[in-house]
Amino acid sequence: MIHFAFHRPPLRNLSVEKILNTAFSVQNYVESFPHIFSENSGALVATASNAKGEVKGMCAIDSEFWSEPTFLRGACIGSVAVAPEHQGQGLGRELLKWVLDQLSSAQLHDFIYLFSQPRSFYTDLGFVAAGNEGLYTFRPTNRRITLPAGIHLAKPREVSGLDEAARKQLWCALERGRKYGESHASWGKFEGLCTVSGLLVSWLEGSDGRMLAGAFVGKGIDFQGVMHTCFAESEAMAELFFNIFLQNYRELSKELLIAPGLWLNSIESFLVYSQSQVLCLVHGLQTPTERCVEWLATGKVYPRSLFSS
């Protein structure tokens, strides 16, 4: 007899941690994603337990929202894992079907998405591939960039080492400088993310202390050596940031993960296309799946943010 249930983080359960560590071949999976599993998280953790109360399968469900092209709320499913002795028996599929039924009944989300290659495990449950995102390497260049007077490049530093004032300033810059369509998250979730070790951030700072453009580099066990979650107040400022960062810290970042259309018009001249990967799989709830696929494929809605990893 399998029992399904939702839990609020923090979820201090040794069997959950063992399942996650085994499934993803790491030692401290939960610690690597505090924005999902910490007490500040707004996520839910769904579990499948046996009659003895032992957790044998789980997944996390988080929420993101977009203000354009219309107000949308998406449920992001991640960290799907099943205990080794129960793999291949349909437990993961049963758990996800239960989660989908619960989310559909609650009518709080417009669609559900998750990051995976298309396979029957997900497509049989109604998920559809929704466009691609690009992974680019940086084109070598000897061009020297000089920063305008009053602007300087902040040395890359770990987000976990920022003081509270700097974190709030970074949060405001993210909210102010994200491109049209990118997702938003809560301050509490951002605070949890700021404890991730190995996550670096760098930015251009004006004479008034404003963060004008920036990006994150590396992320614990995920995206190591990849720049992602770019923000800027204008395309010109984005181009300036990338050029000056690469001029000074090329060894930190080998690749850039970027959404369809996100800053590409201004920075594609120094990018070399590497590969495309499925942006995500999507399944409509209140919004038809076809509409969600269209928005995702054109970059109008872009869920691959720092906050939904």
Side-chain angles (χ1 to χ4, degrees), residues 222-285:
D222 219 3
F223 293 152
Q224 193 65 43
V226 178
M227 294 185 72
H228 55 93
T229 316
C230 319
F231 60 93
E233 294 194 347
S234 67
E235 291 202 356
M237 201 58 66
E239 181 178 8
L240 179 61
F241 167 75
F242 281 111
N243 273 296
I244 198 69
F245 182 88
L246 293 173
Q247 181 173 293
N248 288 274
Y249 302 106
R250 181 174 292 274
E251 74 283 356
L252 281 181
S253 183
K254 307 301 181 184
E255 297 174 303
L256 172 67
L257 183 69
I258 200 163
L262 182 65
W263 308 123
L264 278 179
N265 291 337
S266 58
I267 65 176
E268 63 183 351
S269 62
F270 57 89
L271 295 177
V272 179
Y273 171 79
S274 176
Q275 61 178 307
S276 287
Q277 54 191 29
V278 176
L279 174 59
C280 66
L281 302 182
V282 64
H283 176 38
L285 291 177

Side-chain angles (χ1 to χ4, degrees), residues 87-307:
Q87 291 176 5
Q89 300 175 21
L91 179 59
R93 189 187 303 269
E94 288 184 45
L95 173 60
L96 278 179
K97 186 177 184 306
W98 180 82
V99 168
L100 297 182
D101 289 343
Q102 299 303 307
L103 292 176
S104 179
S105 298
Q107 297 188 345
L108 297 176
H109 297 87
D110 296 286
F111 63 98
I112 306 167
Y113 66 96
L114 54 85
F115 300 110
S116 173
Q117 294 295 322
R119 51 195 177 106
S120 59
F121 182 80
Y122 295 114
T123 55
D124 288 351
L125 290 170
F127 286 92
V128 175
N132 297 303
E133 63 186 352
L135 190 64
Y136 297 83
T137 56
F138 296 104
R139 190 187 306 275
T141 179
N142 294 322
R143 179 187 173 200
R144 299 297 297 175
I145 305 295
T146 302
L147 284 171
I151 297 178
H152 76 274
L153 177 68
K155 181 179 180 180
R157 65 201 69 181
E158 290 210 18
V159 180
S160 59
L162 298 177
D163 60 27
E164 184 176 357
R167 290 184 185 186
K168 287 183 177 179
Q169 189 178 18
L170 177 59
W171 169 254
C172 290
L174 283 167
E175 289 296 287
R176 188 174 61 247
R178 277 191 281 239
K179 190 73 170 179
Y180 168 87
E182 227 184 321
S183 58
H184 300 247
S186 69
W187 166 253
K189 195 173 180 182
F190 175 69
E191 279 191 306
L193 188 96
C194 285
T195 66
V196 176
S197 62
L199 174 61
L200 304 179
V201 64
S202 179
W203 63 84
L204 291 179
E205 186 169 310
S207 56
D208 59 356
R210 278 170 75 96
M211 295 179 181
L212 305 173
F216 294 79
V217 184
K219 180 177 178 292
I221 64 174
D222 219 3
F223 293 152
Q224 193 65 43
V226 178
M227 294 185 72
H228 55 93
T229 316
C230 319
F231 60 93
E233 294 194 347
S234 67
E235 291 202 356
M237 201 58 66
E239 181 178 8
L240 179 61
F241 167 75
F242 281 111
N243 273 296
I244 198 69
F245 182 88
L246 293 173
Q247 181 173 293
N248 288 274
Y249 302 106
R250 181 174 292 274
E251 74 283 356
L252 281 181
S253 183
K254 307 301 181 184
E255 297 174 303
L256 172 67
L257 183 69
I258 200 163
L262 182 65
W263 308 123
L264 278 179
N265 291 337
S266 58
I267 65 176
E268 63 183 351
S269 62
F270 57 89
L271 295 177
V272 179
Y273 171 79
S274 176
Q275 61 178 307
S276 287
Q277 54 191 29
V278 176
L279 174 59
C280 66
L281 302 182
V282 64
H283 176 38
L285 291 177
Q286 311 307 309
T287 298
T289 299
E290 295 77 11
R291 181 76 57 82
C292 296
V293 169
E294 177 188 347
W295 285 333
L296 287 157
T298 56
K300 291 182 178 178
V301 171
Y302 180 58
R304 172 73 87 174
S305 74
L306 178 66
F307 307 100

